[in-house]
Amino acid sequence: MVRSIIYSVITAWVLGSACQQREQVTHGIKQPVAALPERADTANSSTKSSPDTTQDEQLFRKALAAFQQAVKKNDREQVKKCIRFPLQTALQWSNEDLKGMQIDKTAGRVGFNEFNDYYSDIFHAAVRRLLPAAGEEALQEIDDRMNEDYYNTLRQGTDKGSKLYEVYEQYPEKNGHAESFFAFVFARCAGEYKVVAYYGKWPVKG
């Protein structure tokens, strides 16, 4: 079950260190996703009604596993089935960014029919290498108290009251002198978790 932990000094330090290289600032609470216990009634639980937190996490993990396999096989058609289009691929913006500049929240959206044109930019070598092996340390729940416009925008059109989850990976660039990162955000749409956003150090659509 997803832990509900209010930021402590240690948690803030850990998350701050892990995200040090991000060029976009995130504010609020991201919580690690804990390992789920085995549940005998999982097969009989309904995914059509409003799932509780445990059911949300089970649905997310199922979707993540399918997504990881599709990326590992580099299977574009299966990857498409894991995504809700249009897919947001803009650089992650913050509330502070909105105060100082105009953000076009639609410019980075990639539609179903243009997805193949941007596939290699989204699923580049680092994504195909790291995402299939992403473990617990890469998973985060986006807390309901994180009142960031970026995540609030992604929540639009998703199932009411459902959780957002994020897979975030940070890695050294080829020259070894800088860090890069990527993330995929999952949301529940019509009872099923889908990838609703990708962001990285560089924009997908120029």
Side-chain angles (χ1 to χ4, degrees):
M1 194 172 186
V2 178
R3 297 192 297 267
S4 298
I5 305 175
I6 299 176
Y7 265 158
S8 64
V9 173
I10 295 176
T11 303
W13 180 84
V14 171
L15 290 179
S17 298
C19 300
Q20 185 177 6
Q21 296 299 324
R22 293 199 196 196
E23 294 189 3
Q24 297 78 34
V25 179
T26 55
H27 304 278
I29 303 174
K30 291 188 181 183
Q31 302 188 39
V33 178
L36 283 174
E38 292 293 328
R39 288 181 46 154
D41 62 341
T42 299
N44 297 323
S45 63
S46 171
T47 61
K48 298 298 182 180
S49 58
S50 298
D52 60 21
T53 300
T54 300
Q55 290 173 316
D56 258 12
E57 188 173 334
Q58 289 171 337
L59 291 171
F60 159 66
R61 288 181 179 275
K62 179 180 178 181
L64 174 60
F67 186 53
Q68 288 176 308
Q69 282 300 308
V71 172
K72 183 177 181 178
K73 295 176 181 178
N74 203 22
D75 187 332
R76 296 192 183 199
E77 293 307 310
Q78 288 301 315
V79 167
K80 281 183 180 180
K81 293 179 181 179
C82 299
I83 296 173
R84 185 195 70 171
F85 291 97
L87 176 68
Q88 178 62 269
T89 67
L91 297 180
Q92 186 188 47
W93 66 84
S94 71
N95 290 350
E96 288 300 313
D97 292 332
L98 292 174
K99 294 177 182 178
M101 67 182 76
Q102 286 289 109
I103 301 292
D104 188 343
K105 301 176 186 179
T106 65
R109 292 179 182 174
V110 172
F112 181 86
N113 292 331
E114 60 180 341
F115 179 68
N116 286 337
D117 296 335
Y118 295 99
Y119 181 88
S120 297
D121 296 312
I122 301 169
F123 298 96
H124 48 80
V127 170
R128 296 198 308 273
R129 174 171 55 88
L130 296 171
L131 181 68
E136 296 298 317
E137 71 284 352
L139 309 183
Q140 297 175 325
E141 176 195 320
I142 308 304
D143 193 278
D144 294 341
R145 291 168 290 173
M146 179 180 277
N147 190 28
E148 274 290 320
D149 184 79
Y150 177 79
Y151 294 108
N152 290 341
T153 299
L154 295 180
R155 284 190 176 94
Q156 294 174 7
T158 64
D159 293 355
K160 185 178 180 180
S162 60
K163 302 288 185 179
L164 292 183
Y165 294 95
E166 183 174 279
V167 183
Y168 176 85
E169 288 281 3
Q170 189 172 0
Y171 58 95
E173 293 184 345
K174 290 182 179 180
N175 59 22
H177 300 302
E179 293 285 319
S180 193
F181 60 88
F182 67 82
F184 290 91
V185 183
F186 288 72
R188 179 158 58 83
C189 310
E192 184 178 8
Y193 268 88
K194 298 276 190 178
V195 177
V196 295
Y198 159 87
Y199 66 85
K201 191 172 183 178
W202 309 107
V204 170
K205 300 181 79 170

